[in-house]
């Protein structure tokens, strides 16, 4: 579903990501672990076609993000760590706007909005102006908007930050449901305990270099993901 080959990106003389390669198959949840500034957000934005890069190749469901950006974007969704929504709209107005952008019919969008609104506990709050919504509520609206065109690949940047335990549980349910239908998820996180329990695969990046990538069992073995991460960072 996602294949990154020898991806590199620099900002001036600073190398943000250096020769990164990984792939995620349909049905897989992959956690992207690293400290602040390690290159996680840069990688996610490049995969979405938001950010140009220096070298390498990124393919979404077989399509090249450089050669066919529209085709790729039709198959993916991206939720940044701080969703920037149109706060003058209500939640439902925003979701209808996103559905219009993706060409989702009213017959298709309404049951999807109802389903994910209920799953995320947002049914009664979608009528509120987004300006009156909490950070967690905005994240949920952004997530429903990301799901409304039924993308094959969802990329999330620190999706659990600012969510209470109930909202975190709801988000995990949405992620599992998406992958059970053959979709894939690639998300960055600092919450190692969540990644260890939730993910099929994990990628650990440090200083722009991919330090480890594989199934959760392959990476952590008989220890914990936290211990592996600290050892790779030289902090153990």
């Amino acid at each position: 579903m996602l294949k990154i080959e020898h991806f590199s990106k620099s900002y001036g003389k600073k190398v943000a990501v250096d020769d990164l390669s990984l792939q995620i198959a349909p049905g897989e949840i992959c956690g992207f672990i690293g400290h602040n500034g390690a290159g996680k957000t840069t990688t996610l934005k490049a995969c979405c076609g938001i950010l140009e890069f220096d070298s390498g190749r990124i393919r979404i469901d077989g399509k090249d993000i450089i050669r066919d950006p529209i085709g790729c974007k039709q198959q993916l969704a991206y939720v940044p760590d701080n969703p920037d929504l149109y706060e003058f709209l209500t939640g439902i107005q925003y979701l209808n706007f996103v559905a219009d952008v993706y060409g989702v019919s009213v017959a298709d969008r309404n049951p999807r909005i109802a389903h994910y609104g209920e799953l995320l506990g947002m049914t009664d709050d979608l009528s509120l102006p987004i300006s009156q919504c909490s950070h967690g509520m905005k994240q949920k609206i952004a997530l429903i908007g990301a799901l409304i065109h039924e993308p094959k690949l969802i990329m999330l940047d620190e999706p659990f930050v600012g969510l209470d335990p109930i909202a975190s549980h709801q988000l995990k349910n949405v992620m599992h449901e998406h992958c059970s239908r053959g979709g894939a998820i690639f998300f960055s996180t600092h919450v190692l305990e969540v990644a260890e329990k939730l993910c099929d695969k994990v990628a650990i990046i440090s200083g722009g270099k991919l330090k480890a990538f594989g199934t959760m069992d392959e990476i952590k073995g008989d220890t914990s993901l936290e211990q592996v991460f600290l050892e790779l960072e030289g902090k153990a």
Side-chain angles (χ1 to χ4, degrees):
M1 193 64 74
L2 171 65
K3 189 171 186 178
I4 305 173
E5 299 174 286
H6 305 293
F7 164 69
S8 295
K9 170 65 180 177
S10 297
Y11 297 98
K13 294 182 179 180
K14 176 178 170 53
V15 179
V17 182
D18 185 13
D19 196 33
L20 183 147
S21 296
L22 60 81
Q23 57 185 0
I24 304 168
E28 291 182 339
I29 300 176
C30 181
F32 200 24
I33 313 298
H35 58 76
N36 290 334
K40 302 188 303 298
T41 298
T42 293
T43 302
L44 289 172
K45 286 185 174 180
C47 289
C48 297
I50 297 173
L51 194 64
E52 295 181 353
F53 48 95
D54 304 326
S55 61
R57 190 177 187 189
I58 298 173
R59 283 178 282 181
I60 311 294
D61 195 29
K63 300 179 177 67
D64 189 288
I65 192 66
I66 298 297
R67 297 175 181 173
D68 188 10
I70 299 298
C72 286
K73 291 175 184 180
Q74 289 172 338
Q75 302 299 330
L76 65 82
Y78 171 60
V79 181
D81 58 344
N82 189 23
D84 190 12
L85 309 181
Y86 297 117
E87 299 208 345
F88 59 89
L89 298 176
T90 64
I92 193 66
Q93 286 173 335
Y94 173 79
L95 295 176
N96 277 308
F97 166 73
V98 173
D100 287 341
V101 169
Y102 281 100
V104 181
S105 69
V106 173
D108 287 334
R109 75 179 66 173
N110 285 345
R112 292 173 192 172
I113 292 171
H115 173 70
Y116 290 115
E118 182 176 354
L119 202 59
L120 291 167
M122 283 292 292
T123 301
D124 295 333
D125 296 320
L126 291 177
S127 61
L128 294 174
I130 294 174
S131 60
Q132 296 180 16
C133 294
S134 67
H135 174 75
M137 292 164 68
K138 290 177 183 177
Q139 281 184 289
K140 291 179 182 181
I141 293 170
L143 184 60
I144 297 170
L147 290 160
I148 205 163
H149 66 291
E150 294 193 333
K152 292 183 178 180
L153 173 67
I154 300 176
M155 286 178 275
L156 309 167
D157 198 356
E158 296 291 348
F160 294 99
V161 172
L163 294 185
D164 60 49
I166 293 175
S168 294
H169 177 71
Q170 292 166 336
L171 174 57
K172 293 171 197 173
N173 287 340
V174 170
M175 294 168 78
H176 280 303
E177 181 183 274
H178 176 73
C179 289
S180 72
R181 296 197 306 268
I185 292 176
F186 187 36
F187 76 102
S188 69
T189 183
H190 288 118
V191 189
L192 300 185
E193 296 85 355
V194 169
E196 186 168 340
K197 294 177 181 178
L198 183 63
C199 297
D200 305 294
K201 284 182 175 177
V202 62
I204 300 176
I205 187 172
S206 179
K209 287 273 192 181
L210 190 66
K211 298 294 185 179
F213 174 67
T215 67
M216 187 61 68
D217 289 339
E218 289 171 344
I219 297 301
K220 73 183 185 69
D222 296 328
T223 183
S224 67
L225 181 59
E226 180 181 44
Q227 186 65 29
V228 172
F229 177 72
L230 292 174
E231 288 175 357
L232 289 172
E233 287 289 326
K235 303 296 184 181

